Amino acid sequence: MTRIVTRPVSEKLVWSLEQSGLHPLLARIYAARGVAAKGDLDYGLAGLLPPKALKGAEDAAALLADALEAEARILIVADYDCDGATACAVAVRGLRSLGGTVDYLVPNRFTLGYGLSPEIVDLAAERNPDLLVTVDNGIASIAGVERARELGIATLITDHHLPGETLPEAEVIVNPNQPDCAFPSKNLAGVGVMFYVLLALRAELRNRGFFVDRPEPNFGNLLDLVALGTVADVVKLDRNNRILVAQGLARMRQGKLCAGIRALFSAAGRELNRLSAFDLGFVVGPRLNAAGRLSDMSLGIECLITDDPGRALNIAQELDKLNRERREIEAGMQEQALERLAELEAGGLEGEGNAIPAALALFDADWHQGVVGILASRIKDRIHRPVFAFARGENGEIKGSGRSIPGFHLRDALDLVSKRAPGLLVKFGGHAMAAGATIPEERFDEFRDQFARVADEWLTEAELTRTLETDGGLDSGFFNLDVARLLEGEVWGQGFPPPLFQDEFVVEQRRVLKEKHLKLTLRKGNTRLEAIRFNSTDDAGDHIRAAYRLTVNEYNGISSPQLVIEYAEGA
């Protein structure tokens, strides 16, 4: 069941934003998102929160400055998703620009798993590092940090994931979500944390006179990577993150971007001068993530750290190929999962009745470990329930990835399951909206039942009803290319959603594209509009109420406004 509602908005605030010079439509949209003054939309770098406000950043700067001055060997330990890859590239590029001896290591998700484990430390030790720097991981790596200490290797943890009750005994920890950190933005991605550490390091080196006889690096050149990782990790775009993303996008549109991101856009056939945050999240991000899902994220990191355009393009084309392969694997898994859903709805799966449970766990021995996270996300979007999808791992274990809905904190739910069923969760971690878990294969049914039980207790009927928040109707005068481009040019994302409108339309024409998309010609009053509903051929009738986005459609070199239908029902 889906409800379409209109976001509340203060007309007084709308008027105030209009008087400050904002476009009337933008004034309404921003007022509904809590923007109180035009200054809140000033995305200049001067508005960034200072690095000294981030707990541990200055201590990390001192540790890294000492390492640089001692010509120590620094090894970055990365994560195998887009945030981890961009954070690694930021660390490598930033530290090398300061003369550091820097290399990186990224775990293979299928054999070594996530984070700074003792096994990763032993592998890292073969390179004789003096200092290990984690990016986008490490906050839960108690045993790994202890192993590094045994080997005489110092550790610097940079992470943004939620910490457990005990922190690792690293030399320094930088994480806005660690206890007693007063940093106002708790939403930095892993790449944002590493970028802040570099800013603090530059300030520390400046105080030491490091740049007396050498130029200071311009870390603004890293903002393309910061923007990409921030958007791809779907962290909340508070003002601080919007500044990072806006600055990165502005540089990319001006052609100021690393060879790897340029090559990834080229492989995807996208133009740089009009790219948006959407392109980072749905064009570049998936191609990088494909390396970590199906192969080795070292491929993605190499793409981001090389300055050779030819090599970057070769890698980007390989990543594009992997992404196509990932899509094919995902399509097969999704078809199987939807069959399970149909059985559930028909009451044919172990007599569970004719309703899908409040939370769903799925497992298939033939599913791909690297793709279960995407599968969980797709099914979650379809049924509006927390979903975990598992694939077979090693040693009798299965590895799962979960995605959640508002009102259900996934990591907290796993924590409760672990307390109620000791030994069920071999390991787990994550955020409110995304998490991972490893369990014994023979206990999958127990996990499925415990997971659903927690959801039954926590989620209300209203929370189990999908709610689409819209910005109301759109005046016919705004259905044009200029307004579509105006909206695309702004910074939207998680926690600061792109404009979504609702209206009633008459359906004049319909046809199915590629057997999975519904192309429509709609009419509102005297205005005729082209629209498309991706990945759905559901026909809601000749008179519909629709929630939609106003976008720019590029076809054969011609640009035109187009409505992208998110949901439609008979009116």
Side-chain angles (χ1 to χ4, degrees):
M1 184 178 175
T2 299
R3 291 190 309 142
I4 302 178
V5 300
T6 300
R7 291 185 182 89
V9 61
S10 163
E11 293 298 334
K12 181 178 179 181
L13 182 55
V14 174
W15 179 85
S16 176
L17 290 173
E18 282 189 45
Q19 294 304 303
S20 69
L22 273 185
H23 185 284
L25 180 58
L26 286 181
R28 173 167 295 277
I29 292 167
Y30 280 130
R33 284 154 183 76
V35 173
K38 188 178 180 181
D40 294 340
L41 302 171
D42 179 0
Y43 296 148
L45 284 174
L48 275 181
L49 296 168
K52 64 181 180 180
L54 182 61
K55 181 181 178 181
E58 292 184 324
D59 292 336
L63 179 65
L64 287 169
D66 290 344
L68 291 173
E69 290 178 344
E71 298 183 353
R73 293 181 296 275
I74 303 171
L75 184 65
I76 312 300
V77 181
D79 184 23
Y80 40 69
D81 66 359
C82 187
D83 186 19
T86 52
C88 182
V90 163
V92 170
R93 284 183 169 275
L95 292 172
R96 285 181 180 173
S97 73
L98 294 166
T101 303
V102 187
D103 201 356
Y104 72 90
L105 174 65
V106 57
N108 184 300
R109 76 189 302 157
F110 308 113
T111 57
L112 293 169
Y114 169 80
L116 186 69
S117 63
E119 294 80 10
I120 284 292
V121 173
D122 287 339
L123 189 61
E126 296 176 6
R127 306 193 193 183
N128 298 313
D130 300 300
L131 173 63
L132 296 178
V133 179
T134 70
V135 290
D136 194 31
N137 74 93
I139 197 63
S141 301
I142 295 170
V145 170
E146 178 59 32
R147 178 58 178 159
R149 188 178 295 273
E150 291 172 0
L151 297 174
I153 306 172
T155 52
L156 163 60
I157 303 295
T158 76
D159 201 354
H160 70 124
H161 294 94
L162 297 175
E165 295 180 2
T166 304
L167 297 180
E169 295 185 5
E171 272 65 25
V172 182
I173 297 175
V174 187
N175 182 334
N177 292 301
Q178 68 177 307
D180 302 320
C181 181
F183 193 68
S185 171
K186 302 297 183 183
N187 304 300
L188 283 176
V191 67
V193 175
M194 189 62 228
F195 181 69
Y196 261 83
V197 168
L198 287 179
L199 295 180
L201 173 59
R202 186 175 60 184
E204 172 69 18
L205 292 173
R206 189 182 296 138
N207 291 336
R208 295 188 184 194
F210 188 81
F211 300 114
V212 170
D213 56 357
R214 71 186 85 190
E216 285 194 18
N218 177 10
F219 287 148
N221 294 332
L222 301 173
L223 283 165
D224 55 343
L225 294 162
V226 177
L228 171 57
T230 299
V231 171
D233 211 48
V234 204
V235 293
K236 182 179 180 180
L237 291 192
D238 57 19
R239 182 167 182 258
N240 204 63
N241 276 340
R242 293 203 306 276
I243 291 173
L244 293 172
V245 172
Q247 288 290 325
L249 283 171
R251 283 166 166 76
M252 284 186 264
R253 289 167 183 158
Q254 296 166 8
K256 299 175 182 178
L257 69 172
C258 68
I261 297 181
R262 181 187 294 275
L264 286 164
F265 274 115
S266 177
R270 296 283 179 150
E271 297 179 8
L272 291 175
N273 60 340
R274 287 191 40 244
L275 64 88
S276 66
F278 178 90
D279 295 306
L280 299 182
F282 293 93
V283 176
V284 180
R287 284 166 171 78
L288 273 175
N289 276 325
R293 295 187 186 283
L294 302 187
S295 180
D296 183 344
M297 186 46 96
S298 295
L299 189 66
I301 294 171
E302 284 298 314
C303 186
L304 298 178
I305 64 176
T306 184
D307 290 321
D308 182 339
R311 183 162 188 264
L313 186 57
N314 286 337
I315 298 175
Q317 289 169 343
E318 179 65 22
L319 292 171
D320 188 63
K321 179 181 176 183
L322 283 171
N323 192 50
R324 290 196 300 272
E325 182 182 343
R326 186 271 303 168
R327 286 178 180 170
E328 292 175 3
I329 293 170
E330 178 200 334
M333 290 167 57
Q334 189 171 165
E335 183 177 348
Q336 292 172 319
L338 292 176
E339 289 174 359
R340 308 273 180 89
L341 284 179
E343 292 175 351
L344 272 174
E345 291 171 332
L349 190 59
E350 300 184 11
E352 291 192 14
N354 58 4
I356 294 172
L360 189 64
L362 301 167
F363 163 60
D364 192 290
D366 294 326
W367 284 351
H368 195 292
Q369 275 186 46
V371 186
V372 288
I374 300 178
L375 177 65
S377 180
R378 297 283 191 263
I379 301 302
K380 179 266 297 183
D381 289 342
R382 187 178 183 92
I383 65 174
H384 193 67
R385 298 285 192 275
V387 175
F388 245 97
F390 287 87
R392 180 168 284 162
E394 298 176 339
N395 304 317
E397 296 174 345
I398 58 177
K399 297 182 178 182
S401 187
R403 299 294 184 268
S404 195
I405 61 175
F408 190 79
H409 195 296
L410 205 51
R411 186 192 176 280
D412 286 354
L414 293 177
D415 188 51
L416 181 55
V417 169
S418 73
K419 290 180 171 64
R420 288 178 171 177
L424 173 57
L425 293 172
V426 177
K427 58 183 177 180
F428 68 92
H431 302 287
M433 304 303 286
T438 300
I439 64 175
E441 183 172 335
E442 69 272 10
R443 299 185 70 178
F444 168 73
D445 289 350
E446 183 182 358
F447 175 86
R448 179 194 63 200
D449 296 342
Q450 290 281 359
F451 186 49
R453 177 185 166 196
V454 174
D456 274 331
E457 296 169 359
W458 287 8
L459 289 169
T460 66
E461 184 176 345
E463 289 168 328
L464 288 170
T465 300
R466 178 188 289 106
T467 300
L468 286 177
E469 283 194 313
T470 77
D471 295 287
L474 191 60
D475 292 343
S476 296
F478 289 143
F479 287 119
N480 60 63
L481 191 58
D482 289 340
V483 172
R485 284 180 169 158
L486 176 72
L487 297 179
E488 282 197 351
E490 300 298 299
V491 177
W492 314 106
Q494 182 69 21
F496 202 77
L500 184 68
F501 306 102
Q502 61 164 307
D503 276 299
E504 292 188 10
F505 300 98
V506 174
V507 180
E508 294 193 335
Q509 295 180 17
R510 56 175 66 80
R511 59 192 173 98
V512 176
L513 302 180
K514 298 181 180 179
E515 300 181 356
K516 62 179 181 178
H517 310 306
L518 190 62
K519 181 71 173 175
L520 301 167
T521 299
L522 306 177
R523 180 169 52 80
K524 179 187 176 185
N526 295 321
T527 304
R528 184 170 282 105
L529 305 151
E530 296 299 314
I532 190 166
R533 188 172 186 183
F534 290 111
N535 298 309
S536 175
T537 58
D538 294 344
D539 190 344
D542 294 333
H543 189 190
I544 64 173
R545 181 184 183 214
Y548 62 91
R549 292 182 291 112
L550 176 63
T551 67
V552 178
N553 181 41
E554 303 280 358
Y555 186 70
N556 287 339
I558 298 175
S559 300
S560 60
Q562 176 177 255
L563 309 188
V564 174
I565 306 294
E566 298 288 344
Y567 173 77
E569 60 187 16

Coordinates of all heavy atoms in Angstrom, one line a residue, residues 507 509-512 518 520 533 536-544 568-570:
V507 N -4.3 9.9 -19.6 CA -3.3 9.2 -20.4 C -3.8 9.1 -21.8 O -4.9 8.5 -22.1 CB -3.1 7.7 -19.8 CG1 -2.1 7.0 -20.7 CG2 -2.7 7.8 -18.4
Q509 N -1.7 8.3 -24.6 CA -1.0 7.2 -25.3 C -0.1 6.4 -24.4 O 0.4 7.0 -23.4 CB -0.1 7.8 -26.5 CG -0.9 8.4 -27.6 CD 0.0 9.0 -28.7 OE1 1.2 8.6 -28.8 NE2 -0.5 9.9 -29.5
R510 N 0.1 5.2 -24.7 CA 1.0 4.3 -23.9 C 1.7 3.3 -24.8 O 1.1 2.8 -25.7 CB 0.3 3.7 -22.7 CG -0.9 2.8 -23.2 CD -1.6 2.1 -22.0 NE -2.2 2.9 -21.1 CZ -3.4 3.5 -21.2 NH1 -4.1 3.3 -22.3 NH2 -3.9 4.2 -20.3
R511 N 2.9 3.0 -24.5 CA 3.6 1.9 -25.2 C 4.7 1.4 -24.3 O 5.2 2.1 -23.4 CB 4.1 2.3 -26.5 CG 5.1 3.4 -26.5 CD 5.4 3.9 -27.9 NE 6.2 5.1 -28.0 CZ 7.5 5.1 -28.2 NH1 8.1 4.0 -28.4 NH2 8.2 6.3 -28.2
V512 N 5.1 0.1 -24.4 CA 6.1 -0.5 -23.6 C 7.4 -0.5 -24.4 O 7.5 -0.9 -25.5 CB 5.7 -2.0 -23.3 CG1 6.8 -2.7 -22.5 CG2 4.4 -2.0 -22.5
L518 N 7.4 1.7 -19.3 CA 6.1 2.2 -19.8 C 6.3 3.7 -20.2 O 6.5 4.5 -19.4 CB 5.0 2.1 -18.7 CG 3.6 2.3 -19.2 CD1 3.2 1.3 -20.3 CD2 2.6 2.3 -18.0
L520 N 4.6 7.0 -21.8 CA 3.3 7.6 -21.7 C 3.2 9.0 -22.4 O 4.2 9.7 -22.2 CB 2.7 7.7 -20.3 CG 2.7 6.4 -19.5 CD1 2.4 6.7 -18.0 CD2 1.5 5.5 -20.0
R533 N 7.8 5.5 -17.1 CA 7.9 4.8 -15.8 C 8.8 3.6 -16.0 O 8.6 2.7 -16.7 CB 6.5 4.3 -15.4 CG 6.5 3.7 -14.0 CD 5.1 3.3 -13.5 NE 5.1 2.9 -12.1 CZ 4.0 2.5 -11.4 NH1 2.9 2.5 -12.1 NH2 4.1 2.2 -10.2
S536 N 8.7 -0.8 -14.9 CA 7.3 -1.2 -14.6 C 6.5 -1.0 -15.8 O 6.6 0.0 -16.6 CB 6.8 -0.3 -13.5 OG 5.4 -0.6 -13.2
T537 N 5.6 -2.0 -16.1 CA 4.6 -1.9 -17.2 C 3.2 -1.8 -16.6 O 2.3 -2.0 -17.4 CB 4.8 -3.0 -18.2 OG1 4.6 -4.3 -17.4 CG2 6.2 -3.0 -18.8
D538 N 3.1 -1.6 -15.3 CA 1.8 -1.6 -14.7 C 1.0 -0.4 -15.3 O 1.4 0.7 -15.3 CB 1.9 -1.4 -13.2 CG 2.5 -2.6 -12.5 OD1 2.5 -3.7 -13.1 OD2 2.9 -2.5 -11.4
D539 N -0.2 -0.7 -15.7 CA -1.1 0.3 -16.3 C -2.2 0.7 -15.3 O -3.0 -0.1 -14.9 CB -1.7 -0.3 -17.6 CG -2.5 0.8 -18.4 OD1 -2.7 1.9 -17.8 OD2 -2.8 0.6 -19.6
A540 N -2.2 2.0 -14.9 CA -3.1 2.4 -13.9 C -4.4 2.9 -14.4 O -5.3 3.4 -13.7 CB -2.5 3.5 -13.0
G541 N -4.6 2.9 -15.8 CA -5.8 3.3 -16.4 C -5.6 4.6 -17.2 O -4.5 5.1 -17.4
D542 N -6.8 5.1 -17.7 CA -6.8 6.3 -18.6 C -6.7 7.6 -17.8 O -6.5 8.7 -18.4 CB -8.0 6.3 -19.5 CG -8.0 5.1 -20.4 OD1 -6.9 4.7 -20.8 OD2 -9.1 4.6 -20.8
H543 N -7.0 7.6 -16.5 CA -7.0 8.8 -15.7 C -6.2 8.4 -14.4 O -6.7 7.6 -13.6 CB -8.4 9.2 -15.4 CG -8.5 10.6 -14.7 ND1 -9.7 11.0 -14.1 CD2 -7.6 11.5 -14.5 CE1 -9.4 12.2 -13.6 NE2 -8.2 12.5 -13.8
I544 N -5.1 9.0 -14.3 CA -4.2 8.6 -13.2 C -3.8 9.8 -12.2 O -3.9 10.9 -12.6 CB -2.9 8.0 -13.7 CG1 -2.1 9.0 -14.5 CG2 -3.2 6.8 -14.6 CD1 -0.7 8.5 -14.9
A568 N 2.0 5.5 -9.7 CA 0.8 5.9 -10.3 C -0.4 5.0 -9.9 O -0.2 3.8 -9.7 CB 0.9 5.9 -11.9
E569 N -1.5 5.6 -9.7 CA -2.7 4.9 -9.4 C -3.9 5.5 -10.1 O -3.9 6.6 -10.6 CB -3.0 4.9 -7.9 CG -3.2 6.3 -7.3 CD -3.2 6.4 -5.8 OE1 -2.8 5.4 -5.1 OE2 -3.7 7.4 -5.3
G570 N -5.0 4.7 -10.2 CA -6.2 5.3 -10.9 C -6.8 6.4 -10.1 O -6.8 6.4 -8.9

